[in-house]
Amino acid sequence: MNHEPLVEVVRDGMVEGVHHGSAIVLAPDGTTLFAAGDPDATMYPRSTAKPLQATAMARLGLRLSPAGFAIAAASHSGEPMHLDAAREVLGGRSPDALGNPADFPYDPIERDHWVATGRAPGRLAHNCSGKHAAMLATCDLNGWSTDGYLDPAHPLQRAIAATVEDLTGHGIEGVAVDGCGAPLFATTLRGLATAVAKIATAAPGTPDHLVADGIRTHPELVGGSRRDVTAVMRAVPGLIAKDGFEAVQIAALPDGTAIAFKIADGGDRARYPVLAAALKLCGADVPPGPENLRFTGNLSVGSTL
């Protein structure tokens, strides 16, 4: 990807570091408000793919509570509320049925508490357990074996791939294995922005709207009580937002204005300043982030960042 400088790290007025990246913001009609770098290059969406995967499962007939769809689309922090929500989606299944690895909670305070009290890593504590629980439930609903449910050739993953193509508007350009073991379908930032816009504007009563409603109703389950993705959704009414590893981010306002970007070096500290600046361009005012991280782009509508 041909990235551009997006965020500077400043100390006493001197720039001591620069984060490059690519970004795109789409207007409700799908036209480009602004772009930086190469938003049409193939990239891995990492966990920003989860709302798309959850939408695929809703289209396959999965019906969960709003909390259930929120945790299905989450990279949760491993707080008790997250474990409870994932356990509810599992139904009567044991957490051992989950195909994701065992892990400590993602939230550092929760993780430290687990270590201090001698708790071992668990599959339910993994930040992707809600997605995997939903995958198992979708297999049960459709009469598919849960053996090999993470194989790209499994009927579940083929159906998810088809939905990703439908939401993004173009074909999948590569398949890898994500950190949780699930197939990861390569796309573009433009495709991700197009997809999250469709989810955010889905009509009530549709499967896609179930996912949007879950995320909006329970932003605390999508991230956690100490996560910026949750805080920004609470600050901007109706916003859908999802962060991902390697500093990928998507967001969409209720009118379909959509944001997608990636920080080239995967530096998560640079992610929020870009999100805040992009939301400001879209008319949503959120805190700018740490003072020593400075967004450097041009925010003129119709120009590049």
Side-chain angles (χ1 to χ4, degrees):
M1 298 177 74
N2 297 315
H3 297 292
E4 296 180 10
L6 292 183
V7 175
E8 294 177 341
V9 184
V10 181
R11 185 180 301 276
D12 291 334
M14 181 179 292
V15 175
E16 64 174 357
V18 179
H19 292 280
H20 292 67
S22 292
I24 189 166
V25 175
L26 299 180
D29 64 359
T31 58
T32 302
L33 283 179
F34 62 80
D38 191 356
D40 292 302
T42 302
M43 47 81 69
Y44 289 127
R46 299 306 301 266
S47 285
T48 63
K50 287 177 180 174
L52 285 65
Q53 293 165 317
T55 298
M57 291 185 274
R59 291 183 180 183
L60 288 167
L62 185 64
R63 294 296 178 265
L64 302 171
S65 66
F69 275 115
I71 202 70
S75 298
H76 66 73
S77 291
E79 298 171 66
M81 61 180 172
H82 301 120
L83 306 189
D84 290 344
R87 194 178 289 112
E88 180 179 345
V89 176
L90 267 177
R93 286 185 179 274
S94 165
D96 292 336
L98 295 167
N100 57 262
D103 202 357
F104 288 109
Y106 180 75
D107 181 85
I109 293 176
E110 293 293 333
R111 182 172 61 247
D112 289 349
H113 177 70
W114 275 48
V115 172
T117 56
R119 294 185 68 177
R123 292 183 186 273
L124 204 63
H126 192 284
N127 76 90
C128 299
S129 65
K131 176 182 75 176
H132 283 259
M135 287 181 172
L136 293 173
T138 304
C139 287
D140 288 344
L141 179 67
N142 287 274
W144 297 328
S145 172
T146 56
D147 292 339
Y149 78 93
L150 297 179
D151 189 324
H154 190 281
L156 170 68
Q157 301 302 337
R158 292 204 306 269
I160 290 174
T163 296
V164 169
E165 290 182 330
D166 178 63
L167 289 171
T168 59
H170 58 76
I172 290 168
E173 302 185 37
V175 182
V177 179
D178 210 344
C180 66
L184 180 64
F185 303 116
T187 184
T188 65
L189 291 171
R190 186 183 301 276
L192 282 176
T194 300
V196 72
K198 290 178 180 178
I199 296 170
T201 58
T206 63
D208 300 25
H209 183 263
L210 294 174
V211 177
D213 182 59
I215 293 171
R216 290 179 176 129
T217 304
H218 294 283
E220 75 282 357
L221 295 180
V222 178
S225 59
R226 290 173 283 272
R227 295 271 293 283
D228 61 56
V229 68
T230 292
V232 75
M233 283 192 281
R234 285 176 170 162
V236 181
L239 181 73
I240 288 175
K242 183 70 190 74
D243 52 347
F245 283 158
E246 296 304 317
V248 188
Q249 177 81 54
I250 58 174
L253 293 163
D255 67 355
T257 303
I259 299 163
F261 64 86
K262 172 177 170 51
I263 305 302
D265 61 9
D268 198 59
R269 68 179 179 178
R271 180 180 49 78
Y272 184 81
V274 179
L275 178 61
L279 285 170
K280 183 176 181 180
L281 175 69
C282 299
D285 191 18
V286 296
E291 292 183 359
N292 70 320
L293 295 175
R294 183 171 64 194
F295 181 74
T296 60
N298 179 353
L299 292 180
S300 298
V301 175
S303 71
T304 59
L305 282 168

